[in-house]
C-alpha cells in the first residue's frame, strides 16, 4: 500500500517536469532556425504553396493556439501528424519502438549479468592482477566510442570472417516474418517461424554486443565498488568471523546486499544507453525509434521531434521510478 | 584496524599517482601531436592527393587516403586540435556557468533556488547525448555552437553538484563568522564558499572532458557536429564507415582508436583524482 502511495506521489511529481519538457521542446523547435515546410516542398514551390502547406499543419496559427491545440491533443493521446510522412505520429512510434526495445532490453540484460559476475569476482580478488585487469577493461569500455566499436565489429564479424549478416535491416525478408510487436525475435518465436528466428538472432548479435560492451563498463565499476563496500561491512565481517560456508557467504551476504544497490545504477545506465542506441541503430541501419527520432530532428518535423523527446524523457523518468520501487522491494531498509 | 586503513590509504595514493601520470602522459602526447602536426606529416589535413582515393597504407601515405583522397595520417594528427579544443573549451564553460548557478542557488536558497533547480530538473530529464543531439540539430554546427552545446548539456550537473556542496558549506562556522564581521555577500561567496565547494568539480571535470569528446565525435558521426572536410575524428569515422563493409579498415579504425586512447587518458586522470580524493578522506 505504501508503495502504491509512493508511486502515485512520484507520478504526480513527474507532471511538472514533463510539462516543462513539453513547453521547452515546443518552443525550441519553433524559435530556432529550420523550417519543416521547406523540406517537404520541392525547390520550385511558390510562396502560396508554402502558405497552403503551413495552413494544412496549423503552423499559420498564433503560437499560443498551436500550443493549446497540441496540449489538447496530448491529453487525448493524440501526438499529432508527421509533416514528413503525413501519418499519425502515434502509429509511427508503435512501429519503431519494438525493434529498439528488443535491442536495449537484450543489451541491458547481457550487460547486467556480465557486470554482476565480473564485478563481484573482481571485488573478491581486489588489488590482485585479475582485479586490475577487470578495472582496466571497464575503463576502456567507458572510453569507447560505441559507433566506432560497432564498425569494428562489422569489419571483423562481417567483412573479414563473414560470420554475421550485413549491417542492413533486422531480419532476412525471405523468411516472411509476420510482424506483431515489431520486436523481430519475439515475433518469430510467437509465430513459430524458425528461419526468421535464426535470421533475427544473427542480425541482433553484433548490435547487442556493441551496446552491451558500452553499457557494461559503468555498471561493472559500480558493482565492484558496492561489492567491496559490502565485503568491508560489519554484517559481512561478522558472518565471515562466525565461519559460515563460502557459498552461504556469497549468496546470502555478498550477492544480495550488492544487488540491492543495482537498480538505481541500472536506471542511470539505461539513460546513457538511450543515447548510445541512436548511434548503434544508425551504424546497423536498425530502423528503430532512435533513427526515426533522428530523422525527425534533421527535417525539423515538429510533431515527431516533440513526440520523441517526450517519449524519451518519459521513459527516462519512469525507469528511475521503477528502479526506486525495485530497490525498496529488495532492500527493506529503504523508506519510501 | 586503524593501521590497515593507513596502509590502504597509502597504497591507494600510490595507485592514484600511477593513474594520474599515465592519463596526463597520454593527453600530453595527443595534444603535442595535434600542435606539431605540420612537422609530422608532409600532407595538409584537407589536401587532396590527385593520384588516388582510398589508397591503402604504404609509402607516401602511412595510413592511406580516404574517400576524398585526403591523407588519413595527416587528418588523424590535425583532428586533435578540434576534438580536444572543443571538448575542453565546452567543459570549461560548463564548469564556470554551472558553478555560478549552483553557487547562487545554493547560497541564496528560496525561490531563486527553486526556479534554477526546476530548470536543471528539466535538463536532466534527458540523457546527455540525446540533449546534445537535439540542441546541436537545432542550433546548427560551427565551432562556437558546438562549444555551446557541450557547455549546455554539462552545466546542469555542475550546478547540482556545487549547490549541494554550497548548502553544507553555508552552514559552517567560518561563513557565519565572516558574515557577522560584516563581509559582503559577494566577498563571502568568492573567498569562503566557492573555494570550499569545488572539490567534486575537480574530480568530475576530467571525466567530463572525456565524455564531451565522445559526445562531439558522436555528433560529428551523425553529421551534426564538425563536418568533412574539417579534420575531426568522429567525422573521419563517419566518412570511413561505408568502407568497413568492403573490408577497408584504414579510413575509420585509426581515428576511433586515437579517440578511444584520448578519452581513456581523461578517464585515467579522473579516476586517479577520484582515488586520491578518497585516499585523503580515509
Amino acid at each position: 500500500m505504501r508503495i502504491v502511495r509512493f508511486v502515485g506521489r512520484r507520478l504526480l511529481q513527474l507532471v511538472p517536469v514533463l510539462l516543462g519538457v513539453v513547453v521547452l521542446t515546443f518552443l525550441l523547435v519553433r524559435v530556432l532556425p529550420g523550417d519543416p515546410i521547406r523540406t517537404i516542398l520541392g525547390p520550385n514551390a511558390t510562396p502560396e504553396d508554402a502558405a497552403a502547406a503551413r495552413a494544412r499543419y496549423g503552423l499559420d496559427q498564433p503560437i499560443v493556439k498551436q500550443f493549446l491545440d497540441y496540449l489538447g491533443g496530448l491529453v487525448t493521446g493524440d501526438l499529432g501528424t508527421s509533416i514528413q510522412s503525413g501519418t499519425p505520429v502515434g502509429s509511427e512510434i508503435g512501429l519503431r519502438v519494438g525493434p529498439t526495445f528488443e535491442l536495449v532490453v537484450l543489451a541491458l540484460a547481457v550487460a547486467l549479468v556480465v557486470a554482476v559476475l565480473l564485478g563481484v569476482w573482481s571485488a573478491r580478488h581486489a588489488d590482485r592482477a585479475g582485479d586490475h585487469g577487470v578495472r582496466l577493461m571497464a575503463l576502456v569500455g567507458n572510453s569507447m566510442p560505441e559507433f566506432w566499436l560497432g564498425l569494428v565489429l562489422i569489419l571483423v564479424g562481417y567483412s573479414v570472417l563473414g560470420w554475421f549478416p550485413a549491417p542492413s535491416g533486422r531480419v532476412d525478408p525471405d523468411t516472411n516474418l509476420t510482424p506483431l510487436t515489431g520486436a523481430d525475435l519475439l515475433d518469430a518465436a510467437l509465430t513459430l517461424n524458425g528461419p526468421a528466428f535464426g535470421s533475427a538472432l544473427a542480425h541482433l548479435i553484433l548490435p547487442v554486443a556493441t551496446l552491451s560492451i558500452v553499457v557494461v563498463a559503468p555498471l561493472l565499476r559500480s558493482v565492484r565498488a558496492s561489492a567491496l563496500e559490502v565485503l568491508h561491512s560489519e554484517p559481512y565481517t561478522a558472518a565471515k568471523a562466525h565461519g559460515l560456508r563460502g557459498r552461504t557467504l556469497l549468496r546470502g551476504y555478498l550477492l544480495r546486499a550488492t544487488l540491492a544497490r543495482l537498480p538505481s545504477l541500472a536506471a542511470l545506465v539505461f539513460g546513457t544507453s538511450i543515447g548510445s542506441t541512436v548511434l548503434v541503430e544508425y551504424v546497423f541501419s536498425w530502423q528503430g525509434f532512435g533513427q526515426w527520432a533522428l530523422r525527425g530532428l534533421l527535417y525539423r518535423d515538429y510533431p515527431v521531434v516533440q513526440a520523441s523527446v517526450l517519449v524519451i524523457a518519459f521513459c527516462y523518468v519512469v525507469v528511475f521510478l521503477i528502479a526506486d520501487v525495485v530497490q525498496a522491494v529488495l532492500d527493506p531498509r529503504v523508506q519510501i | 584496524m586503524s593501521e590497515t586503513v593507513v596502509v590502504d590509504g597509502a597504497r591507494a595514493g600510490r595507485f592514484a599517482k600511477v593513474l594520474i601520470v599515465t592519463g596526463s602522459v597520454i593527453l600530453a602526447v595527443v595534444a603535442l601531436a595535434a600542435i606539431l602536426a605540420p612537422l609530422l606529416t608532409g600532407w595538409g589535413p584537407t589536401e587532396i592527393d590527385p593520384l588516388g582515393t582510398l589508397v591503402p597504407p604504404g609509402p607516401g601515405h602511412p595510413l592511406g587516403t580516404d574517400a576524398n583522397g585526403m591523407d588519413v595520417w595527416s587528418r588523424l594528427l590535425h583532428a586533435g586540435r578540434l576534438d580536444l579544443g572543443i571538448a575542453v573549451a565546452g567543459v570549461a564553460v560548463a564548469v564556470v556557468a554551472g558553478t555560478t548557478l549552483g553557487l547562487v542557488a545554493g547560497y541564496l536558497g528560496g525561490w531563486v533556488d527553486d526556479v534554477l533547480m526546476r530548470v536543471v530538473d528539466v535538463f536532466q530529464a534527458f540523457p546527455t547525448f540525446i540533449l546534445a543531439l537535439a540542441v546541436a540539430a537545432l542550433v546548427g554546427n560551427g565551432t562556437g555552437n558546438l562549444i555551446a552545446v557541450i557547455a549546455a548539456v554539462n552545466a546542469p550537473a555542475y550546478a547540482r553538484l556545487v549547490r549541494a556542496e554550497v548548502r553544507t558549506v553555508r552552514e559552517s562556522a567560518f561563513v557565519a563568522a565572516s558574515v557577522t564581521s560584516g563581509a559582503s555577500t559577494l566577498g563571502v561567496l568568492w573567498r569562503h564558499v566557492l573555494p570550499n565547494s569545488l572539490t567534486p568539480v575537480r574530480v568530475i571535470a576530467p571525466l567530463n572532458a572525456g565524455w564531451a569528446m565522445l559526445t562531439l565525435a558522436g555528433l560529428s558521426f551523425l553529421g551534426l557536429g564538425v563536418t568533412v572536410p574539417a579534420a575531426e575524428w568522429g567525422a573521419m569515422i563517419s566518412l570511413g564507415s561505408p568502407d568497413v563493409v568492403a573490408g577497408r579498415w584504414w579510413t575509420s579504425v585509426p581515428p576511433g582508436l586515437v579517440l578511444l586512447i584520448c578519452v581513456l587518458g581523461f578517464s585515467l586522470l579522473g579516476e586517479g583524482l577520484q582515488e586520491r580524493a578518497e585516499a585523503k578522506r580515509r
Side-chain angles (χ1 to χ4, degrees):
Chain A
M1 200 55 224
R2 273 243 297 287
I3 286 195
V4 174
R5 251 209 326 269
F6 170 75
V7 171
R9 204 171 59 230
R10 283 281 298 267
L11 282 177
L12 276 182
Q13 282 172 4
L14 290 187
V15 173
V17 171
L18 289 177
L19 200 64
V21 168
V22 167
V23 174
L24 206 70
T25 341
F26 185 88
L27 287 178
L28 271 181
V29 288
R30 281 169 177 74
V31 166
L32 292 163
D35 181 3
I37 296 301
R38 216 175 330 143
T39 62
I40 57 166
L41 298 173
N44 300 326
T46 59
E48 289 77 42
D49 294 341
R54 255 168 211 296
R56 193 159 66 242
Y57 292 101
L59 296 175
D60 56 342
Q61 307 283 331
I63 202 155
V64 176
K65 175 153 190 334
Q66 283 186 45
F67 181 70
L68 290 178
D69 286 348
Y70 171 60
L71 212 56
L74 274 189
V75 173
T76 56
D78 176 13
L79 292 166
T81 306
S82 162
I83 297 175
Q84 278 288 314
S85 66
T87 45
V89 170
S91 64
E92 287 201 352
I93 289 182
L95 281 178
R96 302 297 192 138
V97 158
T100 299
F101 234 68
E102 186 167 59
L103 190 62
V104 174
V105 168
L106 283 177
L108 269 182
V110 171
L112 278 173
V113 172
V114 172
V116 169
L117 291 179
L118 267 184
V120 169
W121 182 86
S122 185
R124 296 177 79 199
H125 299 79
D127 286 325
R128 285 190 236 160
D131 175 46
H132 287 312
V134 170
R135 295 183 69 185
L136 190 67
M137 261 166 41
L139 267 178
V140 171
N142 237 354
S143 314
M144 186 75 81
E146 58 281 77
F147 51 99
W148 176 75
L149 177 64
L151 288 173
V152 171
L153 291 182
I154 292 170
L155 180 71
V156 176
Y158 166 73
S159 311
V160 176
L161 298 174
W163 291 354
F164 298 100
S168 54
R170 306 185 297 263
V171 65
D172 189 342
D174 294 343
T175 55
N176 293 320
L177 176 63
T178 331
L180 297 171
T181 59
D184 297 295
L185 200 62
L186 187 63
D187 290 351
L190 289 176
T191 55
L192 302 174
N193 187 338
F197 191 83
S199 168
L201 193 63
H203 279 86
L204 266 168
I205 290 176
L206 290 185
V208 166
T210 310
L211 202 52
S212 44
I213 287 175
V214 182
V215 165
V216 84
L219 273 178
L220 178 57
R221 296 169 46 136
S222 316
V223 170
R224 178 184 173 278
S226 60
L228 263 183
E229 225 170 277
V230 175
L231 283 173
H232 291 145
S233 70
E234 283 176 359
Y236 186 85
T237 325
K240 202 175 167 195
H242 279 95
L244 289 181
R245 280 187 312 153
R247 269 172 58 132
T248 319
L249 273 178
L250 179 63
R251 294 220 179 131
Y253 288 82
L254 181 55
L255 272 186
R256 170 132 197 201
T258 306
L259 289 183
R261 297 158 197 238
L262 207 54
S264 54
L265 301 175
L268 212 61
V269 166
F270 174 81
T272 49
S273 76
I274 298 178
S276 299
T277 308
V278 175
L279 288 161
V280 172
E281 281 191 11
Y282 185 83
V283 170
F284 289 92
S285 309
W286 202 246
Q287 302 298 336
F289 179 80
Q291 255 185 308
W292 174 77
L294 183 66
R295 202 159 47 236
L297 203 56
L298 292 177
Y299 288 122
R300 300 285 188 281
D301 196 336
Y302 294 163
V304 172
V305 177
Q306 285 160 198
S308 46
V309 168
L310 188 60
V311 167
I312 291 172
F314 184 73
C315 282
Y316 200 40
V317 286
V318 164
V319 164
F320 269 94
L321 176 60
I322 294 173
D324 284 349
V325 172
V326 173
Q327 183 136 29
V329 172
L330 280 179
D331 187 345
R333 287 167 304 177
V334 174
Q335 296 287 324
I336 56 173
Chain B
M1 186 67 205
S2 66
E3 228 170 52
T4 55
V5 169
V6 172
V7 171
D8 267 7
R11 181 154 26 130
R14 266 206 308 282
F15 185 53
K17 203 167 170 186
V18 173
L19 291 176
I20 293 174
V21 170
T22 317
S24 309
V25 167
I26 290 177
L27 292 174
V29 168
V30 176
L32 268 180
I35 295 167
L36 302 178
L39 302 177
L40 299 170
T41 168
W43 293 93
T46 54
E47 193 179 338
I48 292 173
D49 182 355
L51 291 181
T53 58
L54 297 172
V55 176
H61 294 294
L63 282 175
T65 62
D66 63 15
N68 294 328
M70 298 177 186
D71 183 68
V72 175
W73 169 243
S74 168
R75 292 175 64 72
L76 199 63
L77 293 170
H78 283 89
R81 298 177 174 188
L82 274 181
D83 275 289
L84 278 172
I86 294 178
V88 171
V91 171
V93 175
V95 166
V96 173
T99 304
T100 312
L101 287 178
L103 203 59
V104 170
Y107 194 75
L108 294 184
W111 67 268
V112 179
D113 184 33
D114 279 341
V115 170
L116 284 177
M117 284 303 116
R118 289 300 82 76
V119 173
V120 167
D121 276 348
V122 170
F123 268 83
Q124 293 201 317
F126 299 98
T128 327
F129 186 70
I130 298 290
L131 195 61
L133 204 61
V135 180
L138 295 174
V139 300
N141 42 23
T143 311
N145 280 349
L146 288 169
I147 292 176
V149 170
I150 302 281
V153 300
N154 288 304
Y158 290 103
R160 173 155 296 180
L161 216 59
V162 170
R163 172 183 174 270
E165 288 289 310
V166 167
R167 286 171 68 87
T168 42
V169 172
R170 190 176 64 167
E171 305 305 328
S172 50
F174 60 86
V175 171
S178 50
V179 170
T180 32
S181 59
S184 67
T185 305
L186 264 182
V188 173
L189 278 179
W190 180 249
R191 265 195 302 278
H192 300 291
V193 180
L194 182 63
N196 289 297
S197 307
L198 283 182
T199 319
V201 171
R202 277 189 213 115
V203 173
I204 301 292
L207 288 173
N208 213 198
W211 297 330
M213 296 192 74
L214 289 178
T215 306
L216 173 66
L219 291 178
S220 303
F221 180 72
L222 297 176
L224 289 166
V226 178
T227 43
V228 174
E232 191 276 342
W233 294 321
M236 289 175 74
I237 299 171
S238 175
L239 181 68
S241 59
D243 301 335
V244 159
V245 184
R248 282 188 289 266
W249 59 272
W250 63 89
T251 48
S252 57
V253 174
L257 204 58
V258 175
L259 175 63
L260 169 62
I261 291 171
C262 196
V263 178
L264 189 63
F266 278 117
S267 304
L268 288 169
L269 184 62
E271 181 98 349
L273 289 174
Q274 200 159 10
E275 194 102 0
R276 195 168 70 182
E278 269 165 30
K280 261 191 199 151
R281 209 180 305 143
R282 268 182 264 178

